Coordinates of all heavy atoms in Angstrom, one line a residue:
I1 N 139.1 123.3 200.5 CA 140.3 123.1 201.1 C 140.0 123.2 202.7 O 140.6 122.3 203.4 CB 141.2 124.2 200.8 CG1 141.7 124.0 199.3 CG2 142.5 124.2 201.6 CD1 142.6 125.1 198.8
G2 N 139.1 124.1 203.1 CA 138.8 124.2 204.5 C 138.2 123.0 205.2 O 138.5 122.6 206.3
V3 N 137.3 122.5 204.4 CA 136.6 121.3 205.0 C 137.5 120.1 205.1 O 137.4 119.3 206.0 CB 135.3 120.9 204.0 CG1 134.6 119.7 204.5 CG2 134.3 122.1 204.0
G4 N 138.3 120.0 204.1 CA 139.4 118.9 204.1 C 140.3 119.1 205.1 O 140.7 118.1 205.9
L5 N 140.8 120.3 205.4 CA 141.7 120.5 206.6 C 141.0 120.3 208.0 O 141.7 119.6 208.9 CB 142.2 122.0 206.7 CG 143.2 122.3 205.6 CD1 143.5 123.8 205.6 CD2 144.5 121.6 205.7
V6 N 139.7 120.6 208.1 CA 139.0 120.3 209.3 C 138.8 118.9 209.5 O 139.0 118.3 210.6 CB 137.6 121.1 209.3 CG1 136.7 120.6 210.5 CG2 137.8 122.5 209.5
G7 N 138.5 118.2 208.4 CA 138.4 116.6 208.5 C 139.6 116.0 208.9 O 139.6 115.2 209.7
F8 N 140.6 116.4 208.2 CA 142.0 115.8 208.6 C 142.4 116.2 210.0 O 142.9 115.4 210.8 CB 143.1 116.2 207.6 CG 143.1 115.4 206.4 CD1 143.0 116.1 205.1 CD2 143.4 114.1 206.4 CE1 143.1 115.3 204.0 CE2 143.4 113.4 205.3 CZ 143.3 113.9 204.0
G9 N 142.0 117.3 210.5 CA 142.3 117.8 211.9 C 141.6 116.9 212.9 O 142.1 116.5 213.9
L10 N 140.3 116.7 212.6 CA 139.5 115.8 213.4 C 139.9 114.4 213.4 O 140.0 113.7 214.4 CB 138.0 115.9 213.1 CG 137.3 117.2 213.3 CD1 135.9 117.2 212.8 CD2 137.4 117.5 214.8
F11 N 140.4 113.9 212.2 CA 141.0 112.6 212.2 C 142.2 112.5 213.0 O 142.4 111.5 213.7 CB 141.3 112.2 210.7 CG 142.0 111.0 210.5 CD1 141.3 109.7 210.7 CD2 143.4 111.0 210.2 CE1 142.1 108.5 210.6 CE2 144.1 109.8 210.1 CZ 143.5 108.6 210.3
F12 N 143.1 113.4 212.8 CA 144.4 113.3 213.7 C 144.2 113.5 215.1 O 144.8 112.8 215.9 CB 145.3 114.4 213.2 CG 146.2 113.9 212.0 CD1 145.9 114.6 210.8 CD2 147.1 113.0 212.0 CE1 146.6 114.3 209.6 CE2 147.8 112.5 210.8 CZ 147.5 113.2 209.7
L13 N 143.2 114.3 215.5 CA 142.7 114.4 216.9 C 142.3 113.0 217.5 O 142.7 112.6 218.5 CB 141.7 115.5 217.2 CG 142.3 116.9 217.1 CD1 141.1 117.9 217.2 CD2 143.2 117.1 218.3
L14 N 141.4 112.4 216.7 CA 140.8 111.1 217.1 C 142.0 110.0 217.2 O 142.0 109.2 218.1 CB 139.6 110.7 216.1 CG 139.1 109.3 216.5 CD1 138.3 109.4 217.8 CD2 138.2 108.9 215.3
F15 N 142.7 110.0 216.1 CA 143.8 109.0 216.1 C 144.9 109.3 217.1 O 145.4 108.4 217.8 CB 144.5 109.2 214.7 CG 145.2 107.9 214.3 CD1 144.6 106.7 214.3 CD2 146.6 108.0 214.0 CE1 145.3 105.5 214.0 CE2 147.3 106.8 213.7 CZ 146.7 105.6 213.6
G16 N 145.1 110.5 217.6 CA 146.1 110.8 218.7 C 145.5 110.4 220.0 O 146.2 110.0 220.8
I17 N 144.2 110.5 220.2 CA 143.6 110.1 221.3 C 143.6 108.5 221.4 O 143.8 107.9 222.5 CB 142.1 110.6 221.5 CG1 142.2 112.2 221.8 CG2 141.4 110.0 222.6 CD1 140.9 112.9 221.7
L18 N 143.3 108.0 220.3 CA 143.3 106.5 220.3 C 144.7 105.8 220.5 O 144.9 104.8 221.1 CB 142.7 105.9 219.0 CG 141.3 106.1 218.7 CD1 140.9 105.7 217.3 CD2 140.5 105.3 219.8
L19 N 145.7 106.6 220.2 CA 147.1 106.2 220.4 C 147.6 106.6 221.7 O 148.8 107.0 221.8 CB 148.0 106.5 219.2 CG 147.8 105.7 217.9 CD1 148.6 106.3 216.9 CD2 148.0 104.3 218.1
Y20 N 146.7 106.6 222.8 CA 147.1 107.0 224.1 C 147.8 108.4 224.2 O 148.8 108.7 224.8 CB 148.1 105.9 224.8 CG 147.5 104.5 224.8 CD1 148.0 103.6 223.9 CD2 146.5 104.3 225.7 CE1 147.5 102.3 224.0 CE2 145.9 103.1 225.7 CZ 146.4 102.1 224.9 OH 145.9 100.8 224.9
F21 N 147.0 109.3 223.7 CA 147.4 110.8 223.7 C 148.7 111.1 223.2 O 149.6 111.6 223.9 CB 147.3 111.3 225.1 CG 145.8 111.4 225.7 CD1 145.3 110.3 226.4 CD2 145.0 112.4 225.2 CE1 144.0 110.3 226.7 CE2 143.7 112.4 225.6 CZ 143.2 111.4 226.4
D22 N 148.9 110.7 222.0 CA 150.2 111.0 221.3 C 150.3 112.5 220.9 O 149.4 113.0 220.3 CB 150.4 110.3 219.9 CG 151.6 110.4 219.3 OD1 152.7 110.8 219.9 OD2 151.7 110.4 217.9
S23 N 151.2 113.2 221.6 CA 151.2 114.6 221.5 C 151.4 115.2 220.1 O 151.0 116.3 219.9 CB 152.3 115.2 222.5 OG 153.6 114.8 222.2
V24 N 152.3 114.6 219.4 CA 152.5 115.0 218.0 C 151.2 115.0 217.1 O 150.9 116.1 216.4 CB 153.7 114.3 217.4 CG1 153.8 114.7 215.9 CG2 155.0 114.4 218.1
L25 N 150.5 113.9 217.2 CA 149.2 113.8 216.5 C 148.2 114.8 217.0 O 147.5 115.4 216.1 CB 148.8 112.4 216.5 CG 149.5 111.3 215.7 CD1 148.9 109.9 216.0 CD2 149.5 111.7 214.3
L26 N 148.1 115.0 218.2 CA 147.2 115.9 218.8 C 147.6 117.4 218.4 O 146.6 118.1 218.0 CB 147.2 115.8 220.3 CG 146.6 114.5 220.9 CD1 146.7 114.5 222.4 CD2 145.1 114.4 220.4
A27 N 148.8 117.7 218.4 CA 149.2 119.1 218.1 C 148.9 119.3 216.6 O 148.4 120.3 216.1 CB 150.7 119.3 218.4
F28 N 149.2 118.3 215.7 CA 149.0 118.4 214.3 C 147.5 118.5 214.0 O 147.2 119.3 213.2 CB 149.7 117.2 213.6 CG 149.7 117.5 212.1 CD1 150.5 118.4 211.6 CD2 149.1 116.5 211.2 CE1 150.5 118.6 210.2 CE2 149.2 116.7 209.9 CZ 150.0 117.8 209.4
G29 N 146.7 117.7 214.7 CA 145.3 117.8 214.6 C 144.7 119.2 214.9 O 143.9 119.7 214.3
N30 N 145.2 119.7 216.0 CA 144.7 121.0 216.4 C 145.0 122.1 215.4 O 144.2 123.0 215.1 CB 145.3 121.4 217.8 CG 144.6 120.7 218.9 OD1 143.5 120.5 218.9 ND2 145.4 120.3 219.9
L31 N 146.3 122.0 214.9 CA 146.7 123.2 214.0 C 146.0 122.9 212.7 O 145.5 123.9 212.1 CB 148.2 122.9 213.7 CG 149.1 123.3 215.0 CD1 150.6 123.1 214.6 CD2 148.9 124.8 215.4
L32 N 145.7 121.7 212.2 CA 144.9 121.6 211.0 C 143.4 122.0 211.2 O 142.9 122.6 210.3 CB 144.9 120.1 210.6 CG 146.2 119.6 209.9 CD1 146.0 118.1 209.6 CD2 146.4 120.3 208.5
F33 N 142.9 121.7 212.3 CA 141.5 122.1 212.6 C 141.4 123.6 212.6 O 140.4 124.2 212.0 CB 141.0 121.5 213.9 CG 139.7 121.9 214.4 CD1 138.6 121.3 213.7 CD2 139.4 122.8 215.3 CE1 137.3 121.6 214.1 CE2 138.1 123.2 215.6 CZ 137.0 122.6 215.0
L34 N 142.2 124.3 213.3 CA 142.1 125.7 213.3 C 142.4 126.4 212.0 O 141.8 127.4 211.5 CB 143.2 126.3 214.4 CG 142.7 126.1 215.8 CD1 143.8 126.6 216.8 CD2 141.5 126.7 216.1
S35 N 143.3 125.8 211.2 CA 143.6 126.4 209.9 C 142.5 126.2 209.0 O 142.1 127.0 208.1 CB 144.9 125.8 209.3 OG 144.9 124.5 209.0
G36 N 141.8 125.0 209.1 CA 140.6 124.7 208.4 C 139.4 125.6 208.7 O 138.7 126.1 207.7
L37 N 139.3 126.0 209.9 CA 138.2 126.9 210.3 C 138.5 128.3 209.8 O 137.5 128.9 209.3 CB 138.3 127.0 211.9 CG 137.1 127.8 212.6 CD1 135.8 127.0 212.3 CD2 137.3 127.7 214.1
V38 N 139.7 128.7 209.6 CA 140.1 130.0 209.1 C 139.8 130.0 207.5 O 139.2 130.9 207.0 CB 141.6 130.4 209.4 CG1 142.0 131.5 208.4 CG2 141.9 130.6 210.8
F39 N 140.0 128.8 207.0 CA 139.8 128.7 205.5 C 138.2 128.7 205.2 O 137.7 129.2 204.2 CB 140.3 127.5 204.9 CG 141.8 127.6 204.4 CD1 142.8 127.3 205.1 CD2 141.9 128.3 203.1 CE1 144.1 127.5 204.6 CE2 143.2 128.4 202.5 CZ 144.3 128.0 203.3
I40 N 137.4 128.1 206.1 CA 136.0 128.0 205.9 C 135.3 129.4 206.2 O 134.5 129.9 205.3 CB 135.4 127.0 206.8 CG1 135.8 125.6 206.4 CG2 133.8 127.1 206.8 CD1 135.4 124.5 207.3
I41 N 135.5 130.1 207.3 CA 134.8 131.2 207.6 C 135.6 132.5 207.5 O 135.1 133.6 207.7 CB 134.1 131.1 209.0 CG1 135.2 131.1 210.2 CG2 133.1 130.0 209.1 CD1 134.6 131.1 211.5
G42 N 136.8 132.4 207.2 CA 137.6 133.7 207.0 C 138.4 134.1 208.3 O 138.0 133.7 209.4
F43 N 139.5 134.8 208.1 CA 140.3 135.1 209.2 C 139.6 136.1 210.2 O 139.6 136.0 211.4 CB 141.6 135.8 208.7 CG 142.6 136.1 209.8 CD1 143.3 135.1 210.4 CD2 142.8 137.5 210.2 CE1 144.2 135.4 211.4 CE2 143.7 137.8 211.2 CZ 144.4 136.8 211.8
R44 N 138.9 137.1 209.6 CA 138.3 138.1 210.4 C 137.2 137.5 211.2 O 137.1 137.9 212.4 CB 137.7 139.3 209.5 CG 137.1 140.4 210.3 CD 136.7 141.5 209.5 NE 138.0 142.0 208.9 CZ 138.4 143.3 208.9 NH1 137.6 144.1 209.5 NH2 139.5 143.6 208.4
R45 N 136.4 136.7 210.7 CA 135.2 136.0 211.5 C 135.8 135.2 212.6 O 135.2 135.0 213.6 CB 134.3 135.3 210.5 CG 133.3 136.2 209.8 CD 132.4 135.4 209.1 NE 131.4 136.2 208.4 CZ 130.5 135.7 207.7 NH1 130.5 134.4 207.4 NH2 129.5 136.5 207.1
T46 N 136.8 134.4 212.2 CA 137.4 133.5 213.1 C 138.0 134.3 214.4 O 137.8 134.0 215.5 CB 138.6 132.7 212.5 OG1 138.0 132.0 211.4 CG2 139.1 131.8 213.5
F47 N 138.6 135.4 214.0 CA 139.2 136.3 215.1 C 138.1 136.8 215.9 O 138.2 136.9 217.2 CB 140.0 137.3 214.5 CG 140.9 138.2 215.5 CD1 142.0 137.7 216.0 CD2 140.3 139.4 215.8 CE1 142.7 138.5 217.0 CE2 141.0 140.1 216.7 CZ 142.2 139.6 217.3
T48 N 137.1 137.4 215.3 CA 135.9 138.0 216.1 C 135.3 136.9 216.8 O 134.7 137.3 217.9 CB 135.0 138.8 215.2 OG1 134.5 138.0 214.1 CG2 135.7 140.0 214.6
F49 N 135.1 135.7 216.4 CA 134.5 134.6 217.2 C 135.2 134.3 218.4 O 134.6 134.3 219.5 CB 134.2 133.4 216.3 CG 133.7 132.3 217.1 CD1 132.4 132.1 217.5 CD2 134.6 131.2 217.5 CE1 131.9 131.1 218.2 CE2 134.0 130.2 218.2 CZ 132.7 130.2 218.6
F50 N 136.5 134.1 218.3 CA 137.3 133.7 219.5 C 137.6 134.8 220.4 O 137.7 134.5 221.6 CB 138.6 133.1 219.0 CG 138.6 131.7 218.6 CD1 138.7 131.4 217.3 CD2 138.3 130.7 219.5 CE1 138.6 129.9 216.8 CE2 138.2 129.4 219.1 CZ 138.4 129.0 217.7
F51 N 137.6 136.0 220.0 CA 138.0 137.2 220.8 C 136.9 138.1 221.2 O 137.1 139.3 221.3 CB 139.2 137.9 220.4 CG 140.4 137.0 220.2 CD1 140.9 136.5 219.0 CD2 141.0 136.7 221.4 CE1 141.9 135.6 219.0 CE2 142.3 136.0 221.4 CZ 142.6 135.3 220.2
Q52 N 135.6 137.5 221.3 CA 134.6 138.4 221.8 C 134.7 138.5 223.3 O 135.2 137.5 223.9 CB 133.2 137.8 221.5 CG 132.9 137.8 220.0 CD 131.6 136.9 219.7 OE1 130.9 136.6 220.7 NE2 131.3 136.8 218.5
R53 N 134.2 139.6 223.9 CA 134.3 139.7 225.3 C 133.8 138.6 226.2 O 134.5 138.1 227.1 CB 133.7 141.1 225.7 CG 133.9 141.5 227.1 CD 135.1 142.3 227.2 NE 135.3 142.9 228.5 CZ 136.4 143.0 229.2 NH1 137.4 142.6 228.7 NH2 136.4 143.6 230.3
P54 N 132.5 138.2 225.9 CA 132.0 137.1 226.9 C 132.7 135.7 226.6 O 132.6 134.8 227.3 CB 130.5 137.0 226.4 CG 130.3 137.8 225.4 CD 131.5 138.6 225.0
K55 N 133.5 135.5 225.5 CA 134.0 134.2 225.2 C 135.6 134.2 225.5 O 136.3 133.2 225.2 CB 133.8 133.9 223.7 CG 132.4 133.7 223.4 CD 132.2 133.3 222.0 CE 130.8 133.0 221.6 NZ 130.5 132.7 220.2
L56 N 136.1 135.2 226.0 CA 137.5 135.2 226.4 C 138.0 134.1 227.3 O 139.1 133.6 227.2 CB 137.9 136.6 226.9 CG 138.1 137.7 225.9 CD1 138.5 139.0 226.5 CD2 139.1 137.4 224.8
K57 N 137.2 133.7 228.3 CA 137.5 132.7 229.2 C 137.7 131.3 228.4 O 138.7 130.6 228.6 CB 136.5 132.5 230.2 CG 136.8 131.4 231.2 CD 135.6 131.4 232.3 CE 135.6 130.0 233.0 NZ 134.6 130.0 233.9
G58 N 136.7 131.0 227.6 CA 136.8 129.8 226.8 C 138.0 129.8 225.8 O 138.6 128.8 225.5
T59 N 138.2 131.0 225.2 CA 139.3 131.2 224.2 C 140.6 130.9 225.0 O 141.5 130.2 224.4 CB 139.3 132.5 223.6 OG1 137.9 132.6 222.9 CG2 140.4 132.7 222.6
S60 N 140.8 131.5 226.1 CA 142.1 131.4 226.8 C 142.2 129.9 227.2 O 143.4 129.4 227.1 CB 142.1 132.3 228.1 OG 141.1 131.9 229.0
F61 N 141.3 129.1 227.6 CA 141.4 127.8 228.0 C 141.8 127.0 226.8 O 142.6 126.1 226.8 CB 140.2 127.2 228.7 CG 140.2 127.5 230.2 CD1 139.6 128.4 230.8 CD2 141.0 126.6 231.0 CE1 139.6 128.7 232.1 CE2 141.0 126.8 232.3 CZ 140.3 127.8 232.9
F62 N 141.0 127.3 225.6 CA 141.2 126.5 224.4 C 142.7 126.7 223.8 O 143.4 125.7 223.7 CB 140.2 126.9 223.4 CG 140.4 126.1 222.1 CD1 139.8 124.8 222.1 CD2 140.9 126.6 220.9 CE1 139.9 124.1 220.9 CE2 141.0 125.9 219.7 CZ 140.6 124.6 219.7
F63 N 143.2 128.0 223.7 CA 144.6 128.1 223.3 C 145.6 127.9 224.2 O 146.6 127.4 223.9 CB 144.6 129.6 222.8 CG 143.9 129.9 221.4 CD1 142.9 130.8 221.4 CD2 144.3 129.2 220.4 CE1 142.3 131.0 220.2 CE2 143.7 129.4 219.1 CZ 142.6 130.3 219.0
G64 N 145.2 127.9 225.5 CA 146.2 127.5 226.6 C 146.4 125.9 226.4 O 147.5 125.5 226.6
G65 N 145.2 125.2 226.2 CA 145.3 123.8 226.0 C 146.2 123.4 224.9 O 146.9 122.5 224.9
L66 N 146.0 124.2 223.8 CA 146.8 124.0 222.6 C 148.3 124.1 222.9 O 149.2 123.4 222.5 CB 146.4 124.9 221.4 CG 147.2 124.9 220.1 CD1 147.0 123.5 219.5 CD2 146.7 126.0 219.2
I67 N 148.7 125.1 223.6 CA 150.1 125.4 224.0 C 150.6 124.4 224.9 O 151.7 123.8 224.8 CB 150.2 126.8 224.6 CG1 149.9 127.8 223.6 CG2 151.5 127.0 225.3 CD1 149.9 129.3 224.1
V68 N 149.7 123.9 225.8 CA 150.2 122.8 226.7 C 150.5 121.5 225.9 O 151.4 120.8 226.1 CB 149.2 122.6 227.9 CG1 149.5 121.4 228.8 CG2 149.2 123.8 228.8
V69 N 149.6 121.3 225.0 CA 149.8 120.0 224.1 C 151.1 120.2 223.3 O 151.9 119.2 223.2 CB 148.5 119.8 223.1 CG1 149.0 118.8 222.1 CG2 147.4 119.4 223.9
L70 N 151.3 121.3 222.9 CA 152.6 121.7 222.0 C 153.8 121.4 222.9 O 154.9 121.1 222.5 CB 152.6 123.0 221.4 CG 151.6 123.1 220.2 CD1 151.7 124.6 219.8 CD2 152.0 122.3 219.1
M71 N 153.7 121.7 224.3 CA 154.8 121.4 225.2 C 154.9 120.1 225.7 O 155.6 119.7 226.6 CB 154.6 122.4 226.4 CG 154.7 123.8 226.2 SD 154.8 125.0 227.5 CE 153.7 124.3 228.7
R72 N 154.1 119.2 225.0 CA 154.1 117.8 225.3 C 153.6 117.3 226.6 O 154.1 116.4 227.3 CB 155.6 117.2 225.1 CG 156.1 117.4 223.7 CD 157.1 116.3 223.4 NE 157.5 116.6 222.0 CZ 157.3 115.7 221.0 NH1 156.8 114.6 221.2 NH2 157.8 115.9 219.8
W73 N 152.5 117.9 227.0 CA 151.7 117.4 228.1 C 150.3 117.2 227.6 O 149.4 118.0 227.8 CB 151.7 118.5 229.3 CG 152.9 118.6 230.0 CD1 154.1 118.0 229.7 CD2 153.1 119.3 231.2 NE1 155.1 118.4 230.7 CE2 154.5 119.1 231.6 CE3 152.3 120.1 232.0 CZ2 155.0 119.7 232.7 CZ3 152.9 120.6 233.1 CH2 154.2 120.4 233.5
P74 N 150.0 116.1 226.8 CA 148.8 116.0 226.1 C 147.5 115.8 226.9 O 146.5 116.4 226.5 CB 149.1 114.8 225.3 CG 150.2 114.0 225.9 CD 150.9 115.0 226.7
I75 N 147.6 115.1 227.9 CA 146.4 114.8 228.7 C 145.9 116.2 229.4 O 144.7 116.4 229.2 CB 146.6 113.7 229.7 CG1 146.9 112.4 229.1 CG2 145.4 113.6 230.6 CD1 147.2 111.3 230.1
L76 N 146.7 116.9 230.0 CA 146.3 118.1 230.6 C 145.9 119.1 229.6 O 144.9 119.8 229.7 CB 147.5 118.7 231.4 CG 147.2 120.0 232.1 CD1 146.2 119.9 233.1 CD2 148.5 120.6 232.7
G77 N 146.6 119.1 228.5 CA 146.2 120.1 227.4 C 144.8 119.8 226.8 O 144.2 120.7 226.5
M78 N 144.6 118.5 226.6 CA 143.3 118.2 226.0 C 142.2 118.4 227.0 O 141.0 118.8 226.6 CB 143.3 116.6 225.6 CG 144.1 116.4 224.3 SD 143.6 117.3 222.9 CE 142.1 116.7 222.5
L79 N 142.4 118.2 228.3 CA 141.4 118.5 229.2 C 141.0 120.1 229.2 O 140.0 120.6 229.3 CB 141.9 118.2 230.7 CG 141.8 116.7 230.9 CD1 142.3 116.4 232.3 CD2 140.4 116.1 230.9
L80 N 142.2 120.9 229.1 CA 142.0 122.4 229.1 C 141.3 122.8 227.8 O 140.4 123.6 227.7 CB 143.3 123.1 229.1 CG 144.0 123.1 230.4 CD1 145.5 123.7 230.3 CD2 143.2 123.8 231.4
E81 N 141.5 122.0 226.7 CA 140.9 122.3 225.4 C 139.4 121.9 225.4 O 138.6 122.7 224.8 CB 141.5 121.6 224.3 CG 143.0 122.2 223.9 CD 143.5 121.6 222.6 OE1 142.6 121.0 221.7 OE2 144.6 121.5 222.4
V82 N 139.1 120.8 226.0 CA 137.7 120.4 226.1 C 136.9 121.4 226.9 O 135.8 121.7 226.5 CB 137.6 119.0 226.6 CG1 136.2 118.6 227.0 CG2 138.1 118.0 225.6
Y83 N 137.5 121.8 228.0 CA 136.8 122.8 228.9 C 136.6 124.1 228.0 O 135.5 124.7 228.1 CB 137.5 123.1 230.2 CG 136.9 124.0 231.0 CD1 135.7 123.8 231.7 CD2 137.4 125.4 231.1 CE1 135.0 124.8 232.4 CE2 136.8 126.4 231.9 CZ 135.6 126.0 232.5 OH 134.9 126.9 233.3
G84 N 137.7 124.5 227.4 CA 137.6 125.8 226.5 C 136.5 125.6 225.4 O 135.8 126.5 225.2
F85 N 136.5 124.5 224.8 CA 135.5 124.2 223.7 C 134.1 124.3 224.1 O 133.2 124.8 223.6 CB 135.9 122.8 223.1 CG 135.0 122.5 221.8 CD1 135.4 123.1 220.6 CD2 133.9 121.7 221.9 CE1 134.7 122.8 219.5 CE2 133.2 121.5 220.7 CZ 133.7 122.1 219.5
I86 N 133.9 123.6 225.4 CA 132.5 123.6 225.9 C 132.2 125.0 226.3 O 130.9 125.5 226.1 CB 132.4 122.7 227.1 CG1 132.5 121.2 226.6 CG2 131.2 122.9 227.9 CD1 132.7 120.1 227.7
S87 N 133.1 125.7 226.9 CA 132.7 127.2 227.3 C 132.6 128.0 226.2 O 131.8 129.0 226.2 CB 133.9 127.6 228.2 OG 133.7 128.9 228.5
L88 N 133.1 127.7 225.0 CA 133.0 128.5 223.8 C 131.7 128.3 223.2 O 131.0 129.3 222.7 CB 134.1 128.4 222.7 CG 135.4 129.1 222.9 CD1 136.5 128.5 221.9 CD2 135.2 130.5 222.7
F89 N 131.2 127.1 223.1 CA 130.0 126.8 222.4 C 128.7 126.6 223.1 O 127.7 126.0 222.6 CB 130.3 125.6 221.5 CG 131.3 125.9 220.4 CD1 132.6 125.4 220.4 CD2 130.8 126.5 219.3 CE1 133.5 125.7 219.4 CE2 131.7 126.8 218.2 CZ 133.0 126.4 218.3
R90 N 128.7 127.0 224.4 CA 127.4 126.8 225.2 C 126.6 128.0 225.0 O 126.9 129.1 224.4 CB 127.6 126.5 226.5 CG 128.4 127.6 227.4 CD 128.4 127.2 228.8 NE 129.5 127.9 229.4 CZ 129.5 128.4 230.6 NH1 128.4 128.4 231.2 NH2 130.5 129.0 231.1

């Protein structure tokens, strides 16, 4: 279930970007991706990964971008999410 949710999340993110940053598709893709991540590695591991002390800056940008996408500012939200994603995984 988790791999399917992550796959559909990535598909909706890519499709949302291809359709000129459609905010509904981007928001749906983000929510599917995060829920799939929870299904794959578990709630506790997901929580501890995102909320470690050195990763709080990346987490705040990633979730802030998600909130901005949900408020229908997709380009700014995706820029914030990409910066947060890079900051989380470097």
Side-chain angles (χ1 to χ4, degrees):
I1 294 174
V3 175
L5 287 174
V6 168
F8 277 121
L10 292 176
F11 171 74
F12 279 111
L13 283 172
L14 178 67
F15 201 57
I17 290 171
L18 289 175
L19 290 176
Y20 301 110
F21 292 97
D22 183 30
S23 60
V24 174
L25 289 174
L26 292 174
F28 194 59
N30 282 324
L31 294 176
L32 283 175
F33 179 77
L34 288 176
S35 63
L37 191 64
V38 169
F39 270 99
I40 290 174
I41 64 174
F43 184 75
R44 182 173 298 233
R45 281 187 174 172
T46 305
F47 186 79
T48 56
F49 173 76
F50 279 109
F51 293 104
Q52 292 175 4
R53 185 84 168 146
K55 295 182 179 184
L56 282 177
K57 178 181 163 186
T59 300
S60 63
F61 273 100
F62 184 76
F63 285 118
L66 177 66
I67 290 171
V68 170
V69 167
L70 288 173
M71 292 186 332
R72 299 211 179 237
W73 289 8
I75 296 174
L76 178 63
M78 288 305 291
L79 288 174
L80 289 173
E81 281 186 34
V82 167
Y83 178 74
F85 189 79
I86 291 171
S87 180
L88 276 171
F89 289 105
R90 65 175 154 135

